[in-house]
């Protein structure tokens, strides 16, 4: 196994379990407080887009990672839809549509163009979570383990992109890494007692809680 394979498959293994801590956190706390819906919708599009991109460039690690990541992304979105009292289908649709659009760009314009375009949902993921960390009155639903593993995973994919010389990966991951660091620091500050900035009025009285199973 080459160094490229080792880094790629290490990122694959980590990426496969990346969403598990967040899913467990949701089920354990029964709270979606602090999670960004738009960020997870963008994550769905990323999982779809990178799956096909991995197929196009002949890199199984990307394919396996993102196919298996869907096994946590979709349940998280379903739980968030329930917790926020939104239709599940309407919650999943934006991410699916964006994923298909990214695939079309990859097929028509190539890897570099895909790398530029995929920065949009990558920034939405990190930026959406940044906004939620700033505005949510409570961040109990967000998993710190998920945030840490996310940074490690991004670092591995950045290394892999440099080793294989894939411009799409390097462009997208570099931006995601910078914002991911900001989010982790912001989360730590919130847990240490930093108050919400410009909190939403609807968060005044209660934190959204997931309905009990069977409700």
């Amino acid at each position: 196994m080459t160094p490229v394979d080792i880094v790629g498959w290490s990122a694959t293994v980590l990426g496969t379990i990346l969403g598990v801590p967040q899913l467990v956190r949701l089920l354990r706390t029964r709270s979606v407080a602090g999670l960004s819906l738009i960020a997870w919708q963008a994550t769905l599009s990323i999982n779809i887009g990178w799956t096909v991109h991995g197929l196009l460039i002949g890199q199984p690690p990307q394919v396996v990672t993102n196919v298996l990541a869907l096994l946590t992304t979709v349940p998280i979105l379903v739980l968030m839809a329930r917790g926020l009292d939104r239709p599940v289908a309407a919650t999943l649709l934006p991410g699916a549509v964006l994923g298909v659009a990214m695939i079309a760009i990859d097929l028509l314009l190539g890897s570099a163009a895909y790398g530029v375009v995929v920065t949009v949902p990558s920034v939405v993921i990190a930026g959406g979570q940044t906004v939620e960390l700033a505005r949510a009155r409570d961040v109990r639903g967000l998993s710190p383990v998920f945030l840490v593993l996310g940074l490690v995973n991004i670092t591995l994919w950045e290394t892999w992109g440099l080793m294989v010389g894939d411009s799409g990966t390097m462009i997208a991951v570099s931006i995601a890494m910078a914002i991911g660091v900001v989010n982790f620091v912001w989360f730590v500050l919130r847990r240490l007692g930093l108050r919400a900035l410009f909190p939403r009025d609807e968060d005044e009285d209660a934190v959204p809680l997931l309905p009990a199973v069977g409700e």
Side-chain angles (χ1 to χ4, degrees), residues 34-189:
L35 270 73
S36 167
L37 178 60
I38 192 173
W40 280 99
Q41 288 171 325
T43 299
L44 178 61
S45 73
I46 288 284
N47 292 157
I48 294 171
W50 282 116
T51 295
V52 176
H53 182 73
L55 289 170
L56 292 175
I57 66 173
Q59 290 295 334
Q62 282 189 341
V63 178
V64 174
T65 297
N66 288 283
V67 168
L68 294 179
L70 287 168
L71 299 179
T72 52
T73 299
V74 172
I76 287 171
L77 280 170
V78 170
L79 288 172
M80 291 190 72
R82 293 188 65 193
L84 297 171
D85 196 24
R86 296 172 180 244
V88 173
T91 300
L92 295 173
L93 185 60
V97 170
L98 181 55
V100 171
M102 286 161 41
I103 292 169
I105 290 172
D106 201 2
L107 290 170
L108 294 174
L109 301 178
S111 181
Y114 171 80
V116 172
V117 171
V118 82
T119 60
V120 175
S122 296
V123 170
V124 169
I125 291 171
Q129 190 56 66
T130 300
V131 171
E132 194 64 24
L133 281 168
R135 300 197 65 187
R137 293 182 182 274
D138 190 344
V139 295
R140 78 175 75 172
L142 187 58
S143 167
V145 178
F146 166 73
L147 292 175
V148 172
L149 291 181
L151 287 175
V152 175
N153 189 244
I154 289 172
T155 301
L156 287 172
W157 280 121
E158 176 76 4
T159 303
W160 179 87
L162 289 168
M163 293 174 76
V164 301
D166 180 54
S167 57
T169 300
M170 289 186 287
I171 293 170
V173 173
S174 295
I175 296 175
M177 181 183 293
I179 305 179
V181 171
V182 171
N183 280 348
F184 179 73
V185 173
W186 195 264
F187 173 79
V188 171
L189 291 175

